[in-house]
């Protein structure tokens, strides 16, 4: 639900999402969009009070992201493609067989149909492989989970980088393949922490800080590089 909050300095438009949670959470995206997650049982005064408390930080985040204008992805030959934190030049060749390959600092697509369709399928395949590899590395930071079985699944999500399910499935957004491995590791560690703490409470963030001490910087880097 989209709402508006008037503060002393400006007007904040935000999307409010009521969830089965105990704490309040505000996320500012590079586009400037504000998503405010609130406990379902919280009162209107509690929601307003918390948001007013965070209004200064929200304004600073929006100003920070305005320094990095968003660019619409192009799939024509010569455009840039982001992969694991590096930019590659896309080369499209209208020929068969249909394939995608790396050549130095270039990604070469042989396609007689749609370069986007073929490249998306290739990146999703690479994402499944690399995310699984990174999960194995991240699990080394969680010795208490050594006997647990986890599975990575690549799933498109509009508002999340990842999601943890109690059956051991870790869902990761395919857009993460654009990010450096250190940012992918941050997201995986975030989801692994949910095995111990279901909600984003103080204990959750304390554990995340132990496993990934620079998680705040990595979160910002991830949003700037992939969403910016």
């Amino acid at each position: 639900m989209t709402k508006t909050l008037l503060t002393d300095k400006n007007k904040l438009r935000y999307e409010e999402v009521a969830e089965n949670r105990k704490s309040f959470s505000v996320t500012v995206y590079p586009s400037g969009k504000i998503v405010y997650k609130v406990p379902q049982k919280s009162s209107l005064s509690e929601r307003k009070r918390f948001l007013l408390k965070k209004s200064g930080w929200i304004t600073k985040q929006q100003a920070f992201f305005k320094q990095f204008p968003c660019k619409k992805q192009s799939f024509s030959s010569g455009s840039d493609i982001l992969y694991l934190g590096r930019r590659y030049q896309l080369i499209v060749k209208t020929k068969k067989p249909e394939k995608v390959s790396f050549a130095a600092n270039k990604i070469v697509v042989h396609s007689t149909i749609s370069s986007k369709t073929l490249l998306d399928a290739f990146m999703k395949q690479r994402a499944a492989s690399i995310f699984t590899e990174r999960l194995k590395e991240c699990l080394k930071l969680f010795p208490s989970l050594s006997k647990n079985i986890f599975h990575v699944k690549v799933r498109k999500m509009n508002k999340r980088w990842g999601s943890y399910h109690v059956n051991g499935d870790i869902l990761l957004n395919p857009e993460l393949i654009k990010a450096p491995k250190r940012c992918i590791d941050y997201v995986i560690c975030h989801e692994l922490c949910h095995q111990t703490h279901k909600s984003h409470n103080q204990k959750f963030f304390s554990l995340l800080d132990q496993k990934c001490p620079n998680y705040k910087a990595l979160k910002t880097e991830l949003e700037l590089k992939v969403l910016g």
Side-chain angles (χ1 to χ4, degrees):
M1 179 185 297
T2 302
K3 295 187 175 183
T4 301
L5 176 69
L6 295 176
T7 69
D8 293 337
K9 296 182 179 180
N10 58 10
K11 181 194 300 183
L12 296 179
R13 287 182 57 82
Y14 61 96
E15 181 180 340
E16 185 176 285
V17 182
E19 296 183 336
N20 182 20
R21 57 189 293 134
K22 295 181 180 179
S23 59
F24 294 88
S25 170
V26 179
T27 301
V28 180
Y29 291 90
S31 63
K33 180 179 179 179
I34 304 167
V35 176
Y36 183 31
K37 295 182 180 180
V38 302
Q40 290 177 337
K41 296 182 180 180
S42 59
S43 66
L44 292 177
S45 60
E46 288 175 325
R47 298 178 184 187
K48 182 178 179 180
R49 184 163 57 249
F50 183 87
L51 197 58
L52 282 172
K53 183 179 178 181
K54 299 289 289 185
S55 62
W57 174 83
I58 292 171
T59 301
K60 288 180 180 179
Q61 285 293 101
Q62 289 179 322
F64 175 71
F65 285 133
K66 280 183 180 180
Q67 302 174 77
F68 309 93
C70 296
K71 295 180 180 179
K72 188 175 180 180
Q73 178 66 62
S74 170
F75 293 92
S76 59
S77 195
S79 60
D80 285 345
I81 296 294
L82 195 58
Y83 175 74
L84 292 180
R86 291 182 54 196
R87 293 198 175 275
Y88 292 79
Q89 183 182 26
L90 177 63
I91 304 297
V92 180
K93 297 184 178 181
T94 309
K95 59 188 295 187
K96 291 185 176 182
E98 311 283 343
K99 67 176 183 177
V100 180
S101 60
F102 287 92
N105 61 340
K106 297 178 175 61
I107 295 178
V108 183
V109 176
H110 291 191
S111 176
T112 57
I113 44 173
S114 164
S115 60
K116 180 182 184 304
T117 300
L118 194 61
L119 188 59
D120 281 349
F122 173 80
M123 288 299 182
K124 188 173 182 179
Q125 184 179 39
R126 293 295 299 158
S129 175
I130 290 172
F131 294 169
T132 299
E133 167 201 305
R134 300 318 304 166
L135 172 61
K136 290 179 181 178
E137 289 299 310
C138 290
L139 279 171
K140 294 177 181 178
L141 298 172
F142 294 80
S144 63
L145 303 181
S146 60
K147 294 183 179 180
N148 294 56
I149 298 176
F150 298 95
H151 300 283
V152 165
K153 294 186 178 181
V154 181
R155 182 79 53 83
K156 186 174 181 179
M157 293 175 273
N158 294 326
K159 298 178 182 179
R160 296 183 178 184
W161 294 116
S163 178
Y164 174 78
H165 286 201
V166 291
N167 63 359
D169 286 347
I170 294 179
L171 310 183
L172 296 176
N173 194 319
E175 289 291 293
L176 274 174
I177 196 62
K178 298 178 181 179
K181 289 183 179 180
R182 58 183 174 272
C183 293
I184 297 173
D185 290 354
Y186 146 67
V187 175
I188 293 175
C189 284
H190 179 111
E191 301 310 327
L192 286 173
C193 285
H194 278 307
Q195 202 282 332
T196 305
H197 303 291
K198 310 307 178 188
S199 61
H200 293 118
N201 54 27
Q202 186 175 352
K203 291 182 179 179
F204 171 88
F205 286 109
S206 178
L207 178 60
L208 180 58
D209 189 52
Q210 290 175 30
K211 306 301 180 181
C212 188
N214 58 337
Y215 76 88
K216 291 182 180 178
L218 291 172
K219 181 178 183 294
T220 299
E221 180 183 5
L222 174 60
E223 291 172 345
L224 286 177
K225 285 197 172 181
V226 178
L227 298 179

